[in-house]
Amino acid sequence: KVVCVTGAGGFIASWIVKLLLQRGHTVRGTLRDPADPKKTEHLYALDGSAERLHLFKADLLEEGSFDAIVDGCECVFHTASPFHNNTKDPEVELIKPAVEGTLNVLASCKKASSVKRVILTSSMAAVVFTENPLSPGVVVDEKFFSVKELCEKAKEWYVLSKTLAEQAAWKFSEDNGIDLVTINPAMVLGPLLQPTLNTSAGLIKYLISGSPVYLNFSVGWVNVKDVALAHVLACEVPSASGRYCMADRVLHFSEVVKIIHEMYPSLPVPEKCADDKPFAPTYQVSRDKIKSLGIELTPFETTLRETIESLKEKGFVS
Ligand code: NDP
């Protein structure tokens, strides 16, 4: 198949591109700056790239920017979206590129008769922030949808950006007859292909770099290779549909720190929580839907080890 991956140089997208090339597909990747070697060199190093990888410049906020690139593609993987939390202006830095970018890509897909399916990289962030209180007995599944007002109240701007983007994507797809599938991963870890540090791997770097405290936060974790495979299968398997939640396990940061300490006793992990409130509760994430795609999730310990080894190899930690 000929396919398009937006934001091709990012952490998750690079693994999607790698897998697509491995499986014989032809990939059109988009980047904001295809002349930046930090975003492209690792892609050009992938097997099959010389023959089947083509990189293009495209901007999420520029109308029509994706028109010519998606025209001729059967599947479009829309992964590009800002993922960071330190924003001065969340509307401009997070929400606009997430929501308008998604609608812009979908509008280009609508114009291209070749496009049979769009796979959107959403997030568990667009799933778990609901009125239902979370606890270890609660099983979160694809029916949950994060609530805009709760995200706004908590000033969770990244969560809001993913929630609004996914909501907008479903509405646009229903209104315009687009076959949309969303992959909703929890916090993604695993080996880095790109030379720069992405936000989720940065969380582990923070925990092993002598930081004094860990956050009072519980989150699900998932391997980047599983996430890439889910994207690719969502394109290859005709019956794939709807949303796919992906989390191996939900762990509080105190538990992550404990596991790191057991695996790497010499690494300096924080001993204290950032506050003295009760620990944020964990919960479960249903695997039924993702299993139906034929995916067995990698255990957290394996994923964590791969992340730490990769951070060391790339020189992000000593
Ligand atoms: P990266 O930061 O590595 O990649 C983000 C990509 O988005 C980059 O390739 C970048 O493209 C593009 N991008 C960011 N901001 C903009 C912008 N303002 N305009 C245009 N493009 C932009 O992050 P990840 O690989 O982690 O994230 C990829 C996707 O996965 C995102 O949609 C994210 O929300 C989602 N996700 C990530 C999770 C994680 O834990 N990592 C968990 C769940 C979902 P460019 O090369 O042009 O800079």
Side-chain angles (χ1 to χ4, degrees):
K1 290 184 202 283
V2 179
V3 300
C4 170
V5 179
T6 69
F11 170 53
I12 296 174
S14 299
W15 276 98
I16 297 175
V17 173
K18 181 180 161 82
L19 194 58
L20 286 165
L21 291 173
Q22 256 173 21
R23 292 163 84 99
H25 302 292
T26 293
V27 182
R28 298 181 187 172
T30 77
L31 301 107
R32 276 177 293 181
D33 182 7
D36 180 357
K38 283 204 200 84
K39 291 279 178 171
T40 57
E41 258 174 16
H42 64 286
L43 296 177
Y44 286 130
L46 296 172
D47 284 348
S49 69
E51 302 81 24
R52 284 178 285 109
L53 176 66
H54 310 280
L55 297 180
F56 300 88
K57 182 179 170 68
D59 191 316
L60 287 177
L61 298 178
E62 193 186 307
E63 223 184 288
S65 195
F66 294 85
D67 282 3
I69 307 169
V70 303
D71 192 12
C73 291
E74 213 172 302
C75 283
V76 173
F77 299 89
H78 178 42
T79 83
S81 200
F83 178 22
H84 53 84
N85 290 311
N86 43 351
T87 51
K88 285 205 187 87
D89 188 344
E91 182 62 38
V92 171
E93 293 169 52
L94 291 173
I95 294 161
K96 235 171 162 287
V99 179
E100 288 182 22
T102 300
L103 291 174
N104 198 21
V105 170
L106 286 170
S108 298
C109 294
K110 185 192 163 188
K111 287 186 226 165
S113 59
S114 60
V115 177
K116 300 285 175 269
R117 182 170 283 168
V118 179
I119 295 109
L120 172 71
T121 315
S122 187
S123 171
M124 283 299 295
V127 177
V128 294
F129 284 79
T130 72
E131 260 116 25
N132 303 13
L134 296 170
S135 69
V138 171
V139 182
V140 172
D141 67 18
E142 286 77 8
K143 290 192 287 297
F144 284 57
F145 214 116
S146 296
V147 177
K148 174 178 180 254
E149 290 73 22
L150 293 181
C151 305
E152 285 169 345
K153 205 171 146 208
K155 295 189 168 35
E156 289 282 359
W157 306 122
Y158 168 72
V159 177
L160 180 65
S161 79
K162 296 304 284 180
T163 304
L164 296 180
E166 195 192 321
Q167 237 168 27
W170 284 116
K171 174 148 187 4
F172 187 93
S173 300
E174 276 151 28
D175 291 350
N176 293 282
I178 290 175
D179 180 2
L180 177 74
V181 175
T182 69
I183 307 297
N184 296 65
M187 203 63 85
V188 184
L189 296 178
L192 281 62
L193 292 175
Q194 84 285 0
T196 51
L197 185 67
N198 59 288
T199 298
S200 48
L203 289 175
I204 301 302
K205 174 183 147 64
Y206 171 85
L207 292 179
I208 58 177
S209 303
S211 312
V213 292
Y214 53 80
L215 289 178
N216 187 354
F217 189 55
S218 295
V219 72
W221 305 88
V222 62
N223 193 297
V224 68
K225 290 176 272 183
D226 299 344
V227 174
L229 180 60
H231 280 77
V232 175
L233 290 177
C235 161
E236 292 178 350
V237 177
S239 61
S241 74
R243 312 169 89 198
Y244 291 88
C245 290
M246 295 188 78
D248 171 50
R249 255 194 295 163
V250 177
L251 295 167
H252 187 268
F253 269 93
S254 59
E255 295 170 281
V256 176
V257 161
K258 195 162 157 259
I259 296 170
I260 297 176
H261 183 64
E262 280 161 12
M263 284 197 321
Y264 294 91
S266 62
L267 285 176
V269 288
E271 284 171 17
K272 281 192 310 193
C273 187
D275 61 47
D276 50 16
K277 292 184 194 143
F279 278 2
T282 61
Y283 47 93
Q284 298 174 54
V285 178
S286 168
R287 295 167 183 241
D288 295 349
K289 187 89 189 290
I290 195 66
K291 263 195 179 160
S292 74
L293 212 48
I295 294 179
E296 290 292 337
L297 298 171
T298 306
F300 174 71
E301 283 78 1
T302 308
T303 305
L304 181 66
R305 190 178 292 281
E306 287 179 355
T307 313
I308 294 177
E309 292 304 317
S310 181
L311 289 171
K312 285 183 177 176
E313 192 195 308
K314 303 245 169 198
F316 290 118
V317 291
S318 43

